[in-house]
Amino acid sequence: YFSADDGVHGRELWSTDGTPGGTRLLMDLNPGVASSAPTALTIADGRLYFEADDGQHGGELWVSDGTAAGTHMVKDVNAGGRPSFPSNLTAVGDELFFTANDSEHGRALWRSDGTAAGTELVKDFFPGSFDPPVPLPILPTHLTAVGDRLFLTAWDGTGGYGQLWVSDGTDEGTVKLDGSIGEDPRAGRLEVLTAVGDRLFYNHGEDLWTSDGTPEGTM
């Protein structure tokens, strides 16, 4: 799957089997020369998830089984024509995790099984409709699958800005593992989250850390 602009339909979703004859426009999501601009193409449970704008709902989460009939918007997360801008799409088992802004919670962690009913908020790390009022990349990001768990970085408004979290897909099961290091936000910045077997490795400032998904096993 890929996005392309053929000069007629705008930038839309295409599929290919690796041959010219098997390469085709899958669906013109934003009809005409306008573009739906599919991005963040991600496979989960054999289906393609992506962010696109059909010209009516703004950038929202879509899913496709590889056919036009099976390609549709999953849920209008930010209703009223306002985009939720789903990003950080990450497959964990047969579900998709992503971040989005529904205007009620700010940018938060969501999950989806490909249905509207099964697309729900997991955790609002910084409660309320506004994102943290600091000029740093502390919104939920760096989503990384390790087995059947999701690791990510976020800030809940307490402690230093560098925080490692793990989630089982529920609010109660989304817990902080690595609170912070010091008051200087740059000292605790977490980056380069990488799964190796059943553990997570990551940079914490200038140091290499690892986690097994428990506070005691995060060091």
Side-chain angles (χ1 to χ4, degrees), residues 90-117:
T90 304
V92 181
D94 59 359
E95 289 197 314
L96 182 85
F97 286 79
F98 62 101
T99 62
N101 187 336
D102 66 355
S103 292
E104 180 181 352
H105 302 95
R107 183 151 295 273
L109 179 64
W110 289 69
R111 66 186 291 182
S112 178
D113 64 1
T115 67

Side-chain angles (χ1 to χ4, degrees), residues 127-144:
S129 60
F130 297 100
D131 291 326
V134 290
L136 291 167
I138 59 176
L139 302 178
T141 188
H142 297 309
L143 276 62
T144 305

Side-chain angles (χ1 to χ4, degrees), residues 15 21 84 117 170 207 216:
S15 67
S84 69
T170 67
D207 299 321
E216 299 78 13

Side-chain angles (χ1 to χ4, degrees), residues 160-172:
Y161 297 145
Q163 297 177 350
L164 179 68
W165 294 69
V166 66
S167 178
D168 64 1
T170 67
D171 186 9
E172 299 78 9

Side-chain angles (χ1 to χ4, degrees), residues 4 22 33 39 44 55 59 63-64 66 73 92-93 96 103 111 123 156-157 159 162 168 183 197 201 217 219:
V33 296
T39 60
V63 67
S64 177
M73 185 174 66
V92 181
L96 182 85
S103 292
R111 66 186 291 182
K123 183 82 173 178
D156 61 2
D168 64 1
E183 295 300 323
F201 289 82
M219 62 192 80

